[in-house]
Amino acid sequence: MYPHFVALRGSCQCGGVRFEVPDDFEARAFCHCETCKKLSGGVGTANGRVRSDEVTIVEGEELLRTYQPDEGTAKTFCSVCGSNLFGGGWPESEHASVRLSALDDPVPGRPQKHIYVRSVAPWESLPEDGLERVEGSG
Ligand SMILES: [Zn+2]
Ligand SMILES: [Zn+2]
């Protein structure tokens, strides 16, 4: 028997890095922390969580760079185009945050909450989307 396995595909902006995550991948949260603003160039990141070993790098592993800030978890991006791909300490951590912005296939569901709303910037507005809002990491 051939196991039925459908992966969701993701990539960076330049296409040098391609990866897959399992199809039971679930969108979880919008993160508005200051770090996510810096690395996203916007209001923050949108993330889903998977086990780190469930992220399969299909192409471009040599292009990946992981930045470990003094505080917080490691973030991984494409060294060519700068797209932020993974956070939460991937690949060393047990679980990784996968940026929804990097996924090319439709993600099932949508994030259920906004986290780090205490870090919402003066130039940023939170949408009135009815989602739970959490001050910190939630
Ligand atoms: Zn790239
Ligand atoms: Zn964040």
Side-chain angles (χ1 to χ4, degrees), residues 12-17 63 78 80-83:
C12 63
Q13 192 191 355
C14 75
V17 178
L63 303 180
C78 171
V80 175
C81 68
S83 297

Side-chain angles (χ1 to χ4, degrees), residues 31-37 45 47 75 99 115-116:
C31 184
H32 298 268
C33 80
E34 288 170 15
T35 304
C36 284
K37 289 193 215 312
T45 57
N47 299 283
K75 333 284 179 196
R99 310 306 184 201
I115 64 171
Y116 284 101

Side-chain angles (χ1 to χ4, degrees), residues 90-101:
W90 184 90
E92 307 282 308
S93 58
E94 188 180 352
H95 290 95
S97 294
V98 176
R99 310 306 184 201
L100 304 186
S101 50

Side-chain angles (χ1 to χ4, degrees), residues 42-59:
V43 297
T45 57
N47 299 283
R49 213 164 102 103
V50 288
R51 291 181 48 83
S52 286
D53 59 12
E54 290 180 321
V55 177
T56 305
I57 306 300
V58 178
E59 209 178 304

Side-chain angles (χ1 to χ4, degrees), residues 5-20:
F5 176 74
V6 184
L8 300 181
R9 291 163 300 183
S11 62
C12 63
Q13 192 191 355
C14 75
V17 178
R18 298 190 180 279
F19 66 92
E20 293 179 352

